[in-house]
């Protein structure tokens, strides 16, 4: 039986490891962009080769604005990954997207600043612009949606992800602004991860877990107890979607051979 190309999983808050992953090796992989957040965990999920990377390190120690996104994506690419699932903990803005709700977003708006957000900035032979009309891969999103439907999970197959700087949470006024801009979700790690994957020619999809109502969307302040409870309640569904979709994600043809 042909072995599928490895699928990359970048785990965020609440997903620093996959207990179902049969680990074959752990490899530190420094590259021209520096040190990734953690060692690449290479293994098998079901029969599908997987490369797992904890976005914030394990234990969770790197804040969103200090993640070395370029080193992370380059390390996955160098490991043979051409399809990446970014798992993100997010705040819910849309009224249907409350705590523990799973979302497979279709668009994003970038409000971050000062982050190293491109591979194309120094020692260039020519200026490079990439198309970023659709930041999330259509085929990859379809497979995640089909898996969530087959599992009978409550989830949303749409969502505009607003990426903010962090590490602080947003003000109620900022959330009103994001809502007016059309955002359904708010998070701190959606960019530049998505665009760096696109620059490398990788398929990239986001699998979001709402861990709290965004600021001003509930009658109480946001607490870590609330976030941890939502993670505990909703992360099982996220893991089941990953498990069910992995093999088909591994069958997707690479988009390009960018090096």
């Amino acid at each position: 039986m042909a072995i599928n190309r490895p699928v990359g999983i970048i785990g965020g808050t609440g997903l620093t490891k996959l207990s179902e992953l049969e680990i074959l090796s752990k490899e530190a992989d420094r590259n021209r962009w520096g040190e990734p957040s953690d060692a690449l965990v290479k293994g098998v999920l079901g029969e599908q080769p997987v490369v797992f990377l904890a976005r914030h390190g394990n234990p969770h120690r790197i804040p969103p604005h200090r993640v070395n996104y370029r080193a992370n994506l380059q390390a996955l690419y160098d490991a043979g990954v051409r399809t990446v699932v970014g798992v993100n903990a997010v705040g819910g803005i849309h009224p249907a997207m409350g705590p523990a709700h799973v979302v497979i977003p279709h668009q994003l708006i970038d409000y971050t600043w000062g982050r190293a957000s491109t591979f194309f900035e120094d020692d260039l032979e020519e200026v490079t612009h990439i198309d970023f009309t659709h930041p999330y891969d259509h085929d990859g999103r379809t497979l995640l949606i089909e898996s969530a439907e087959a599992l009978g999970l409550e989830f949303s197959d749409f969502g505009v992800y607003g990426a903010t700087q962090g590490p602080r949470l947003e003000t109620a006024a900022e959330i009103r602004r994001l809502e007016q801009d059309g955002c359904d979700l708010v998070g701190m790690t959606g960019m530049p991860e998505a665009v760096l994957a696109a620059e490398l020619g990788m398929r990239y999809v986001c699998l979001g877990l709402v861990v709290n109502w965004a600021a001003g969307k509930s009658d109480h302040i946001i607490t870590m107890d609330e976030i941890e409870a939502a993670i505990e309640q909703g992360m099982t569904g996220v893991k089941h979607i990953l498990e069910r979709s992995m093999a088909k994600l591994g069958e997707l043809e690479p988009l390009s051979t960018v090096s």
Side-chain angles (χ1 to χ4, degrees), residues 45-121:
L45 194 59
E47 296 183 354
Q48 171 59 40
V50 168
V51 182
F52 179 82
L53 176 61
R55 183 186 290 114
H56 300 281
N58 187 14
H60 189 286
R61 67 186 186 280
I62 307 172
H65 68 299
R66 298 304 295 269
V67 172
N68 191 338
Y69 295 95
R70 291 193 294 191
N72 286 354
L73 271 298
Q74 187 69 58
L76 290 171
Y77 188 94
D78 292 346
V81 169
R82 297 297 180 269
T83 297
V84 178
V85 181
V87 179
N88 296 84
V90 295
I93 299 175
H94 190 286
M97 299 178 185
H101 191 69
V102 174
V103 185
I104 302 168
H106 71 289
Q107 271 294 340
L108 65 80
I109 302 176
D110 186 11
Y111 300 93
T112 65
W113 50 269
R115 301 183 181 190
S117 58
T118 181
F119 293 112
F120 301 125
E121 60 183 5

Side-chain angles (χ1 to χ4, degrees), residues 1-165:
M1 183 177 68
I3 298 177
N4 291 357
R5 183 180 291 276
V7 174
I9 301 174
I10 303 177
T13 301
L15 186 65
T16 55
K17 60 182 179 180
L18 280 174
S19 57
E20 297 81 5
L21 182 66
E22 179 187 345
I23 297 175
L24 302 178
S25 67
K26 294 183 179 180
E27 301 176 13
D29 190 15
R30 182 179 178 86
N31 55 61
R32 56 181 172 152
W33 306 107
E35 295 284 348
S37 297
D38 201 11
L40 298 183
V41 179
K42 299 181 179 181
V44 178
L45 194 59
E47 296 183 354
Q48 171 59 40
V50 168
V51 182
F52 179 82
L53 176 61
R55 183 186 290 114
H56 300 281
N58 187 14
H60 189 286
R61 67 186 186 280
I62 307 172
H65 68 299
R66 298 304 295 269
V67 172
N68 191 338
Y69 295 95
R70 291 193 294 191
N72 286 354
L73 271 298
Q74 187 69 58
L76 290 171
Y77 188 94
D78 292 346
V81 169
R82 297 297 180 269
T83 297
V84 178
V85 181
V87 179
N88 296 84
V90 295
I93 299 175
H94 190 286
M97 299 178 185
H101 191 69
V102 174
V103 185
I104 302 168
H106 71 289
Q107 271 294 340
L108 65 80
I109 302 176
D110 186 11
Y111 300 93
T112 65
W113 50 269
R115 301 183 181 190
S117 58
T118 181
F119 293 112
F120 301 125
E121 60 183 5
D122 295 318
D123 301 320
L124 302 178
E125 295 182 3
E126 60 182 20
V127 175
T128 302
H129 303 284
I130 65 160
D131 179 82
F132 202 52
T133 305
H134 302 290
Y136 303 120
D137 180 69
H138 174 269
D139 294 335
R141 286 189 71 251
T142 298
L143 291 175
L144 293 184
I145 290 168
E146 290 175 350
S147 294
E149 289 174 340
L151 290 164
L153 298 176
E154 283 194 25
F155 77 103
S156 294
D157 62 359
F158 71 95
V160 177
Y161 181 126
T164 59
Q165 180 69 0

Side-chain angles (χ1 to χ4, degrees), residues 208-246:
L209 175 64
V210 181
V211 299
N212 58 272
W213 284 112
K217 290 298 177 180
S218 66
D219 59 2
H220 60 274
I221 64 170
I222 301 166
T223 67
M224 285 307 300
D225 286 344
E226 173 189 4
I227 290 173
E228 289 168 3
I231 289 172
E232 184 175 352
Q233 182 181 349
M235 193 55 73
T236 297
V238 169
K239 291 180 178 179
H240 286 166
I241 292 171
L242 290 172
E243 292 165 12
R244 189 177 184 92
S245 61
M246 272 301 106

